[in-house]
């Protein structure tokens, strides 16, 4: 399945729901262009939902790392949500979760973007 990307927002966090393959060719180019455009448009907090990604290769990983580096240089951050199966295995082999925070729960991932000591209480 070709890569499909939908974007939603939660506060100031842009959540990219990915579905399909993030592999060499048009799929990784699409992912890279989405990420570059969001960063260029001023997004500083990105969460990539990988729950429905079936395959990722070096070009998909390159797009993710490129966005992570770009955001880090601008005071932003990129985090990963719910990598599964082969995708999770690939990320572990290259130790990407040691570099980019990875979460299994969307609420926890979103909370991690808030400053420490922040409370939602009135």
């Amino acid at each position: 399945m070709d890569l499909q990307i939908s974007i939603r927002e939660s506060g100031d966090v842009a959540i990219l729901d990915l579905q399909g393959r993030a592999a060499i060719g048009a799929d990784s180019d699409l992912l890279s262009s989405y990420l570059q455009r969001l960063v260029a448009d001023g997004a500083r907090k990105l969460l990539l939902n990988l729950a429905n990604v079936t395959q990722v290769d070096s070009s998909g990983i390159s797009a993710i790392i490129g966005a992570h580096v770009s955001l880090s240089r601008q005071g932003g951050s990129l985090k990963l949500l719910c990598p599964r199966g082969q995708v999770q295995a690939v990320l572990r082999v290259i130790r990407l979760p040691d570099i980019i925070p990875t979460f299994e729960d969307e609420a926890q991932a979103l909370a991690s973007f808030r400053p420490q000591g922040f409370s939602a209480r009135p």
Side-chain angles (χ1 to χ4, degrees):
M1 172 195 286
D2 289 342
L3 185 65
Q4 297 174 8
I5 302 173
S6 59
I7 301 174
R8 56 194 168 95
E9 293 185 2
S10 177
D12 59 351
V13 179
I15 303 167
L16 284 78
D17 293 309
L18 309 180
Q19 184 171 358
R21 301 169 3 123
I24 197 162
D27 295 330
S28 65
D29 293 344
L30 177 67
L31 177 59
S32 185
S33 68
Y34 262 83
L35 293 171
Q36 288 172 1
R37 189 172 72 235
L38 284 166
V39 172
D41 289 346
R44 293 296 172 260
K45 298 176 183 178
L46 298 181
L47 179 62
L48 299 185
N49 181 357
L50 304 176
N52 295 311
V53 175
T54 57
Q55 180 183 0
V56 65
D57 69 3
S58 60
S59 61
I61 289 167
S62 177
I64 293 169
I65 291 174
H68 170 72
V69 169
S70 180
L71 282 166
S72 294
R73 288 181 179 154
Q74 298 175 45
S77 60
L78 177 140
K79 300 180 183 189
L80 306 177
L81 179 64
C82 296
R84 299 279 181 254
Q86 183 262 355
V87 172
Q88 185 176 40
V90 167
L91 297 181
R92 281 186 180 155
V93 165
I94 63 167
R95 302 180 60 117
L96 199 61
D98 293 348
I99 300 165
I100 300 176
T102 303
F103 297 85
E104 289 297 317
D105 179 78
E106 186 172 310
Q108 288 178 348
L110 291 171
S112 75
F113 284 101
R114 292 194 288 269
Q116 295 297 334
F118 176 83
S119 175
R121 290 183 229 134

